[in-house]
Amino acid sequence: MDKKALLTPRKVASQQRSRAMIEALVEATARALIEEGFERANTNRIAEEAGVSIGSLYQ
């Protein structure tokens, strides 16, 4: 698969609340990776830390 295709998001957040949720998820992911490490960080932990549902994370 093309490297550029892997870095291109499927959707782009257009509303402010969507951009805020993405920012919260990115920050929560960073915290989880720092605190838990790559092997132990998981999507449930990231969603909980960001304060969003797991479905929102996957969307």
Side-chain angles (χ1 to χ4, degrees), residues 18-38:
S18 297
R19 289 191 299 270
M21 182 177 65
I22 290 170
E23 182 65 26
L25 286 167
V26 169
E27 290 176 8
T29 301
R31 284 192 300 272
L33 290 172
I34 290 167
E35 293 171 9
E36 305 288 333
F38 183 78

Side-chain angles (χ1 to χ4, degrees), residues 7-48:
L7 298 175
T8 304
R10 189 169 54 96
K11 294 181 182 180
V12 178
S14 59
Q15 295 182 351
Q16 177 58 36
R17 69 174 185 240
S18 297
R19 289 191 299 270
M21 182 177 65
I22 290 170
E23 182 65 26
L25 286 167
V26 169
E27 290 176 8
T29 301
R31 284 192 300 272
L33 290 172
I34 290 167
E35 293 171 9
E36 305 288 333
F38 183 78
E39 295 295 322
R40 296 193 55 197
N42 61 58
T43 53
N44 288 326
R45 162 89 159 77
I46 292 166
E48 181 180 331

